[in-house]
Amino acid sequence: MQRSLLALAVYVMAFTVRAHEGMWLPTLLKGIEGDMQAAGLKLTAEDIYSINKGSLKDAIVLFGGGCTAEVIGSQGLILTNHHCGFGAITDHSTVENDLLRNGFWAKDLGQELRNPGLTATFVIRMEDVTDRIVPQLEAGQTEAQRREAVTRLSAPIIKEATEGTHYAAVVRPFNYGNSYYLIVTETFRDVRLVGAPPDGIGKFGGDTDNWMWPRHNADMSLFRIYTGPDGKPADPADANIPFKPRHVLPMSLEGPQEGEFAMIFGFPGNTQRYLSSFAVEYVMEKADPMRIAMRTASLGVIDAAMRSNDRTRLQYADKQAGISNAWKKWIGELRGLKELNTLQRKRDYETAYAAQAREKGQDHYAAVIDQLRTLYGEYIPYATARDLFVEMVYYGPDVLRFADGFQDLIDGHEKLRAEGKLAQAVSDRLSGAEGYFKNHDVAVDKAVFKALLPIYRKHIPAALAPAVLREIDTKYKGSTDAWVDALYARSVFADELRLKAALRNPSAKAMQKLAADPLYRVARSFFSTFLDQVRPQHAAVGDRIETAMRTYVKGMMELYPEKTYWPDANSTLRLSYGQVEGSRPRDGVTYEPFTTLDGVIAKHVPGDPEFNVPQRLIDLHKAKDYGRYGANGTLPVCFTSSLHTTGGNSGSPVLNGRGELIGLNFDRTWESTMSDIQFDPAKCRNICVDVRYILFLIDIYADADHLLKEMTIVEPPVAPHTIELPIHR
């Protein structure tokens, strides 16, 4: 208990020093309640997070695996970003019925579209269980032994929390394993698409505006959670009914006001506030430049192909969005870290840290700096190889993963035949191949392979390169293009008809031919090299870094107890707060906090794939038909606030001091992208869609006012009347 109280103390101590920084665990809000209320919060910590009654946390949803959504309707209606729902919207789109381009609005429950595999998860409660875990861990354990021990110690805690319920639970480490929390959740498996604006509204500005301010897009989409007839999670089925929420966020017609208190509640994915200088050096001098180069090359191919025809545009829309988002983020991150002189500041801190440790007789804390230096010397070659593998195999040519997916069939065909499962395995592979070729263009894939391969070869450590790449020099005189051309020309994995023919008679001889297929051999070489030579060493050295970082971070808290220590984001529920405000990110540059529909129309370029506005929106602007959502003769669109966010906060609600929705978070300014590593309260701003624009699009633009009937819409507060008193002379 004493350890937990100490952890709480260091989390909240000196909180007012940098009020906008921090992603706070909701269980600790009682400790900072006074600070938040002084900043403008009108609620209590219990109103935000409670396990005894409905609270704000009961409206916050982990959407899929990596975004946030929030409940805004009494029948389970949830709001998230357009880019978070992008995959679902794209999956339902065809050239003939292009929901991505035209938008989609279900007129009733029967028109809402199912999305297999999409989930919505609520946090039921969180509990600090550090004192049930850490005291029982033995000193000197390896990370693998420690993980095994934590799993064993967590099992009865999880059982105790979930037995007799349909809930799930997990025990998660925080602060590199210096503390542990139990998180109990409820996951719903039937989540249906309700509405999405056309990409000319929801993705307006495209890659050009991504991460930028001023911003003018309505990055929003609507889904609905369904349950079984008993109100509990169920697989998608006709008998399912809309979810009955425990809390619904009210929608504020007043919208955001400059200077007012604002907070964000969601599931931020990953921050790295405590990285050592050695890690930051790798990010700045190796990882980011290398990954930027890889994605610049692939985007050059994919963007051109998507502009060529609608079929290719739909095939690659989701892949392109995934590649470009991190690409532009890394460019901004690199610039921001350089501007803030982050690397030198980290080095200076470590020098002071070691000196402070020695002065206080804590030599083991001083020694950890040299340990980290040595470990990163070992780690960087494997980190480089891993990053390159991810870029090449998961964001590069799709054929590598596709071909490697046949390994179980090729290597295990004899066992499958003996078990009578071969025919089904072949059928499954044929079915998967149909989907692959439907969403795949061989010419584009080959061009991506050609674009990335020279960059990959330039950076991969020679000892960790796939052996198959030697063929380029031995057989093709160093020409990567000629090698790739030969692979695609000779492989059945680049030709749907030839692949189907090869699988028509899955004999042992046919499987041997597939095993010798050029693209299959290349895919296997990439995967086996990574799995056998890179991943084990990357994990082993990474574990030793984790151990050192646990000591390093614990040392920070003990050596500098007056500073603020919040645990890095790890996709668990967090709250950040600040205010609605603009910024001055660079000399001579001022960002106003609001944009309007006037700015959307000013950016409109007819026919441009990024800036083409639907005619209906142009007409509504011309007529100034904004309903009750306009302000000052125009329509609010986006705003910025000083809330600490990261990936995973996409789709998070931005709330005022009364807990009313004023905006939908969807991005950061480009000057803020380094905030995962170093937060600068003067520069860092998150970007949000104004709630009034969201309501306008649902009500006026889409004529989907039936959805408003299940919402709680709060009128602007009425200013008190001024009473003039008579003046006595």
Side-chain angles (χ1 to χ4, degrees):
M1 181 61 69
Q2 187 175 8
R3 184 182 294 104
S4 296
L5 291 174
L6 175 61
L8 173 61
V10 295
Y11 287 148
V12 303
M13 193 172 294
F15 178 77
T16 57
V17 175
R18 305 184 74 180
H20 299 325
E21 180 178 3
M23 299 178 177
W24 305 96
L25 290 165
T27 53
L28 300 178
L29 293 180
K30 192 68 178 176
I32 58 173
E33 180 182 68
D35 296 288
M36 295 178 70
Q37 290 174 341
L41 177 67
K42 308 300 181 186
L43 307 175
T44 65
E46 181 78 2
D47 294 327
I48 297 172
Y49 172 86
S50 176
I51 60 174
N52 300 313
K53 64 176 184 177
S55 58
L56 289 185
K57 79 151 171 69
D58 296 308
I60 312 303
V61 179
L62 176 61
F63 183 81
C67 280
T68 302
E70 53 274 357
V71 180
I72 60 168
S74 59
Q75 297 186 67
L77 187 68
I78 60 175
L79 173 68
T80 190
N81 286 154
H82 185 272
H83 75 261
C84 292
F86 195 78
I89 301 165
T90 303
D91 287 345
H92 290 295
S93 295
T94 63
V95 174
E96 298 76 23
N97 184 27
D98 192 343
L99 305 188
L100 194 60
R101 172 167 288 175
N102 301 323
F104 170 76
W105 304 94
K107 295 301 182 184
D108 54 44
L109 296 179
Q111 291 187 10
E112 295 175 359
L113 303 176
R114 296 180 188 174
N115 304 282
L118 183 59
T119 59
T121 299
F122 293 88
V123 170
I124 301 302
R125 66 184 176 92
M126 299 176 69
E127 179 185 341
D128 185 351
V129 293
T130 304
D131 289 338
R132 299 178 66 177
I133 301 288
V134 172
Q136 299 187 61
L137 298 175
E138 297 178 11
Q141 288 178 317
T142 65
E143 285 299 309
Q145 291 169 335
R146 184 185 176 96
R147 284 191 293 269
E148 183 180 341
V150 169
T151 299
R152 174 175 48 79
L153 294 168
S154 299
I157 298 174
I158 291 171
K159 182 179 179 182
E160 176 185 302
T162 60
E163 195 167 27
T165 76
H166 62 277
Y167 299 144
V170 65
V171 172
R172 295 287 300 276
F174 290 76
N175 281 331
Y176 296 93
N178 281 303
S179 56
Y180 290 86
Y181 274 77
L182 168 74
I183 304 171
V184 182
T185 57
E186 181 180 35
T187 297
F188 294 89
R189 303 184 297 278
D190 190 350
V191 182
R192 305 183 191 180
L193 177 63
V194 175
D199 61 0
I201 295 175
K203 202 170 184 275
F204 181 78
D207 288 339
T208 300
D209 273 6
N210 190 24
W211 299 105
M212 307 302 286
W213 184 259
R215 201 62 167 276
H216 295 91
N217 64 318
D219 195 345
M220 60 152 289
S221 58
L222 296 169
F223 290 77
R224 190 184 306 281
I225 301 171
Y226 281 76
T227 73
D230 59 358
K232 294 180 180 179
D235 292 331
D238 292 341
N240 287 353
I241 61 175
F243 170 64
K244 301 301 180 187
R246 292 174 283 268
H247 186 82
V248 175
L249 295 181
M251 313 280 275
S252 168
L253 274 185
E254 183 183 30
Q257 304 298 307
E258 187 170 5
E260 78 169 321
F261 174 91
M263 59 184 173
I264 188 168
F265 215 0
F267 295 88
N270 182 46
T271 56
Q272 299 168 302
R273 184 193 189 198
Y274 304 106
L275 282 184
S276 69
S277 65
F278 317 108
V280 172
E281 183 177 14
Y282 172 68
V283 168
M284 294 181 66
E285 298 185 3
K286 187 72 172 178
D288 277 2
M290 180 176 68
R291 295 182 297 186
I292 290 166
M294 294 279 279
R295 295 200 179 198
T296 299
S298 60
L299 286 171
V301 173
I302 293 171
D303 287 348
M306 289 177 67
R307 289 192 291 268
S308 66
N309 61 76
D310 283 343
R311 183 173 184 273
T312 307
R313 177 179 59 82
L314 288 174
Q315 284 177 324
Y316 284 88
D318 205 14
K319 182 180 179 78
Q320 192 273 353
I323 293 171
S324 66
N325 190 55
W327 165 76
K328 195 165 186 178
K329 186 252 187 183
W330 290 328
I331 295 172
E333 176 180 80
L334 193 55
R335 185 181 72 172
L337 293 173
K338 289 177 180 177
E339 288 178 353
L340 292 176
N341 198 23
T342 300
L343 181 55
Q344 188 57 49
R345 291 169 71 169
K346 289 279 187 180
R347 288 169 174 165
D348 292 344
Y349 175 83
E350 287 162 3
T351 299
Y353 175 101
Q356 179 85 332
R358 285 191 291 269
E359 183 179 325
K360 293 191 173 184
Q362 303 277 11
D363 290 348
H364 61 293
Y365 288 143
V368 79
I369 303 299
D370 286 334
Q371 292 171 17
L372 286 167
R373 178 183 292 107
T374 300
L375 287 168
Y376 269 93
E378 298 177 35
Y379 182 69
I380 285 173
Y382 299 107
T384 300
R386 178 196 175 278
D387 287 345
L388 286 168
F389 175 81
V390 169
E391 291 302 312
M392 192 71 183
V393 173
Y394 288 93
Y395 293 95
D398 294 319
V399 75
L400 294 176
R401 281 181 294 121
F402 176 62
D404 197 69
F406 284 75
Q407 185 195 2
D408 289 346
L409 176 62
I410 293 171
D411 291 350
H413 67 93
E414 291 182 358
K415 182 181 179 183
L416 290 168
R417 192 189 308 277
E419 295 174 349
K421 298 177 180 179
L422 182 60
Q424 184 60 52
V426 171
S427 177
D428 291 344
R429 282 288 147 223
L430 286 170
S431 177
E434 287 183 6
Y436 170 77
F437 284 105
K438 176 185 175 183
N439 296 301
H440 170 88
D441 185 288
V442 173
V444 174
D445 201 60
K446 183 166 70 171
V448 169
F449 206 149
K450 287 182 176 181
L452 295 188
L453 190 53
I455 305 169
Y456 179 92
R457 295 185 77 205
K458 175 183 176 181
H459 292 284
I460 187 74
L464 300 175
V468 74
L469 296 183
R470 297 172 192 159
E471 296 177 357
I472 297 170
D473 295 322
T474 60
K475 296 182 180 181
Y476 293 88
K477 299 179 180 180
S479 174
T480 53
D481 282 1
W483 183 68
V484 172
D485 281 334
L487 293 178
Y488 280 78
R490 294 159 44 214
S491 175
V492 301
F493 292 101
D495 187 315
E496 184 175 9
L497 294 178
R498 289 173 61 197
L499 178 60
K500 288 181 176 179
L503 292 175
R504 193 170 294 127
N505 178 22
S507 63
K509 185 177 180 180
M511 294 300 105
Q512 289 173 0
K513 289 182 69 175
L514 282 181
D517 183 274
L519 278 173
Y520 179 75
R521 286 195 314 106
V522 170
R524 276 283 75 220
S525 185
F526 269 89
F527 273 92
S528 62
T529 300
F530 173 73
L531 294 174
D532 297 340
Q533 298 180 44
V534 177
R535 189 169 70 173
Q537 290 301 317
H538 181 272
V541 183
D543 276 354
R544 289 157 61 200
I545 290 174
E546 182 80 3
T547 303
M549 285 299 297
R550 184 178 306 117
T551 301
Y552 181 44
V553 172
K554 186 178 181 182
M556 290 180 187
M557 296 178 177
E558 292 186 13
L559 297 172
Y560 301 100
E562 73 282 1
K563 294 187 177 181
T564 304
Y565 300 100
W566 51 271
D568 269 324
N570 58 356
S571 297
T572 56
L573 189 60
R574 306 292 181 95
L575 182 141
S576 301
Y577 80 88
Q579 63 183 31
V580 176
E581 59 179 324
S583 61
R584 297 189 63 185
R586 297 188 304 280
D587 184 46
V589 176
T590 299
Y591 288 160
E592 296 295 328
F594 301 106
T595 62
T596 69
L597 191 58
D598 296 343
V600 176
I601 302 304
K603 286 183 175 180
H604 170 57
V605 180
D608 186 282
E610 294 186 320
F611 293 97
N612 188 37
V613 178
Q615 186 60 46
R616 175 159 172 74
L617 189 62
I618 296 172
D619 294 341
L620 290 170
H621 173 263
K622 185 176 181 180
K624 292 191 177 296
D625 184 3
Y626 307 139
R628 54 181 175 160
Y629 312 112
N632 302 317
T634 186
L635 181 67
V637 169
C638 294
F639 67 95
T640 60
S641 52
S642 53
L643 305 176
H644 194 175
T645 65
T646 188
N649 275 127
S650 291
S652 293
V654 178
L655 309 167
N656 63 19
R658 297 183 294 275
E660 299 162 355
L661 190 81
I662 58 173
L664 177 66
N665 182 77
F666 68 92
D667 207 351
R668 285 172 280 173
T669 61
W670 210 26
E671 293 82 3
S672 308
T673 52
M674 76 297 179
S675 64
D676 292 347
I677 295 174
Q678 183 173 348
F679 185 89
D680 183 350
K683 287 186 177 185
C684 292
R685 297 292 180 268
N686 63 309
I687 304 175
C688 322
V689 189
D690 194 301
V691 67
R692 292 166 291 187
Y693 194 33
I694 294 171
L695 291 170
F696 161 83
L697 290 170
I698 297 170
D699 186 2
I700 308 298
Y701 179 88
D703 195 25
D705 59 336
H706 61 285
L707 296 174
L708 273 63
K709 295 176 182 177
E710 58 180 291
M711 300 179 191
T712 301
I713 298 178
V714 180
E715 298 287 341
V718 178
H721 293 292
T722 301
I723 302 175
E724 294 187 6
L725 299 176
I727 299 176
H728 298 284
R729 299 185 185 277

